[in-house]
Amino acid sequence: MTTTESREAAWLTECVRLAAKNVTEGGGPFGALIVRDGETIATGVNRVTPDLDPTAHAEVVAIRAACRALGTFKLDGCVLVSSCEPCPMCLSSALWARVDRIVYAADRHDAAKAGFDDLAFYELFSTPRDAWSVPVTQVSTEDGFTPFATWLDQPDRVDY
């Protein structure tokens, strides 16, 4: 095993430990780390049911904590490590955060066996929107682009 594989295995072991501990404390079976330069910057566990927040997945919790710890919304130079393959929301969050890499242990099929919707959401995104059970519809308005025009006119905006 290479040094990188050994280090990743240790991170994944910690994520799995956090996830299992979180279950015993009333949370979901997911844990995550944000690592930079070999150092854990932040951890996160699934807080959906305790916080009554459907976005409080372990990866999102870890990303939020890492951004606060580093004082930035960009996590370039960081690795997201997760006990399970990130769901589409968490994957999108990691991409928005600009992490360099994502490493995970269990996958979407394992999550599905445990009753989680990750696989179904991945399948949904591969189908045309008009086949979705939840309608997603654009309604064009005359002023729909106004927020973007206002954004573009701001000379001191912080692009992300």
Side-chain angles (χ1 to χ4, degrees):
M1 184 179 285
T2 68
T3 303
T4 300
E5 289 170 338
S6 175
R7 185 173 42 199
E8 289 174 353
W11 296 338
L12 289 166
T13 297
E14 177 61 10
C15 286
V16 168
R17 186 194 68 74
L18 286 169
K21 181 175 185 261
N22 194 51
V23 170
T24 67
E25 296 173 353
F30 302 94
L33 307 173
I34 300 292
V35 178
R36 186 171 71 178
D37 298 328
E39 177 187 343
T40 298
I41 303 300
T43 65
V45 293
N46 183 284
R47 303 275 318 151
V48 170
T49 55
D51 291 356
L52 305 176
D53 179 354
T55 68
H57 291 200
E59 298 90 340
V60 172
V61 171
I63 288 168
R64 289 173 180 162
C67 288
R68 283 190 304 272
L70 296 173
T72 183
F73 58 87
K74 292 184 180 180
L75 297 178
D76 48 318
C78 294
V79 179
L80 169 62
V81 185
S82 181
S83 63
C84 186
E85 179 179 8
C87 74
M89 177 185 70
C90 294
L91 179 58
S92 296
S93 298
L95 295 173
W96 274 109
R98 311 292 197 243
V99 300
D100 286 4
R101 219 160 39 95
I102 300 167
V103 180
Y104 61 89
D107 67 17
R108 64 183 82 170
H109 302 284
D110 297 317
K113 288 178 198 170
F116 291 90
D117 292 339
D118 305 46
L119 181 59
F121 290 142
Y122 272 105
E123 290 171 354
L124 175 70
F125 289 130
S126 69
T127 62
R129 278 195 183 170
D130 60 2
W132 290 15
S133 61
V134 175
V136 178
T137 309
Q138 179 182 15
V139 177
S140 295
T141 61
E142 187 177 313
D143 59 351
F145 191 77
T146 300
F148 296 112
T150 305
W151 169 259
L152 291 169
D153 288 342
Q154 297 301 311
D156 60 344
R157 72 177 180 265
V158 177
D159 291 328
Y160 57 96

